[in-house]
Amino acid sequence: MANTQKSSENHTTANRNAFDATKVETGVRLILEGIGEDPARPGIEGTPRRVAQMYEEICAGLHNEPRELLHVIPAETHDEMVIVKDIPLYSICEHHLLPFFGVAHIAYIPKDGRIVGLSKLARVADLMARKPQIQERLATEIADLLDEMLRPTGVMVVIEAEHMCIEMRGIKKPGAKAVTSALRGGFLKDQRTRAEAMSLILGHKG
Ligand SMILES: [Zn+2]
């Protein structure tokens, strides 16, 4: 209830164009020409097609509804904190279309026995990463979805990621990690709850 700001701005799967491989291939061919390559050169002649196939896979989050992955299971009154940590994430930044990748940690405190399978949390994070994203919004979208579906006492999503657009270009900071988080409910209000989750998440790293 503390969370009234939903990230619905244009980020639902409804009213979105279908994936169009031909358009992507045409675009990649233009990029190759634009950078001064010869799109007919044998080594890259199949590249537009390969890139189109790749984009279909790494942008699957634009065309699949994450709500369908989350089946809320009624559990006996389990109300202790649940944490899934080190969920591998692969995304592309919406500013440069270069990869950013790392891990997500998801913690929530169930309410009235509403829980989801642990693997489903990982699948939701994976799917929501599969589109042009920014790391901050990815954390927010995952937290908002879990808040909506589980109506838990609290949700916390922490994402640690390296961005190829920072490592390969511009300021070039190899290995630099960005950490973003989104907190809802009890994690927002109660510093001790937040500290407990953070120590469980980061504990293994000493
Ligand atoms: Zn970028």
Side-chain angles (χ1 to χ4, degrees):
M1 65 179 192
N3 166 44
T4 48
Q5 211 184 355
K6 294 284 177 196
S7 55
S8 53
E9 41 118 21
N10 217 2
H11 279 281
T12 53
T13 50
N15 73 18
R16 197 174 262 139
N17 293 329
F19 184 81
D20 185 333
T22 308
K23 268 192 182 164
V24 179
E25 287 183 38
T26 305
V28 173
R29 220 167 274 121
L30 285 171
I31 289 172
L32 289 171
E33 274 175 28
I35 63 172
E37 262 288 4
D38 171 12
R41 179 164 71 75
I44 56 173
E45 122 200 275
T47 296
R49 182 181 38 80
R50 283 188 293 264
V51 173
Q53 284 171 354
M54 175 191 74
Y55 270 120
E56 186 165 25
E57 184 180 342
I58 67 177
C59 294
L62 289 173
H63 306 288
N64 291 279
E65 176 50 64
R67 283 170 188 79
E68 286 168 15
L69 296 173
L70 278 183
H71 302 289
V72 178
I73 316 165
E76 319 81 71
T77 54
H78 185 84
D79 59 357
E80 299 295 326
M81 191 184 298
V82 176
I83 297 184
V84 179
K85 60 187 187 184
D86 296 326
I87 300 166
L89 275 189
Y90 297 92
S91 190
I92 50 173
C93 82
E94 69 182 19
H95 301 132
H96 305 94
L97 301 184
L98 281 173
F100 69 91
F101 59 95
V103 289
H105 315 290
I106 299 175
Y108 73 101
I109 305 166
K111 192 173 182 189
D112 301 329
R114 287 186 295 272
I115 62 167
V116 284
L118 298 176
S119 66
K120 299 293 192 287
L121 293 174
R123 289 188 61 196
V124 161
D126 177 77
L127 182 61
M128 292 182 118
R130 287 177 180 270
K131 57 187 172 184
Q133 263 291 15
I134 58 172
Q135 189 180 328
E136 296 88 336
R137 191 176 60 229
L138 178 55
T140 299
E141 284 187 355
I142 297 168
D144 284 345
L145 183 77
L146 296 175
D147 203 31
E148 174 198 323
M149 300 290 288
L150 292 171
R151 285 170 285 125
T153 300
V155 180
M156 180 168 90
V157 178
V158 178
I159 296 176
E160 304 175 69
E162 289 180 55
H163 294 246
M164 293 317 287
C165 62
I166 297 175
E167 306 209 2
M168 288 176 70
R169 55 164 288 285
I171 55 170
K172 292 200 183 77
K173 287 265 185 261
K177 269 189 190 158
V179 181
T180 55
S181 64
L183 308 166
R184 302 287 178 268
F187 290 103
L188 203 55
K189 290 179 217 140
D190 186 348
Q191 196 268 331
R192 279 180 54 197
T193 307
R194 193 161 63 235
E196 184 191 343
M198 284 310 285
S199 77
L200 287 166
I201 287 169
L202 301 173
H204 67 297
K205 289 176 183 165

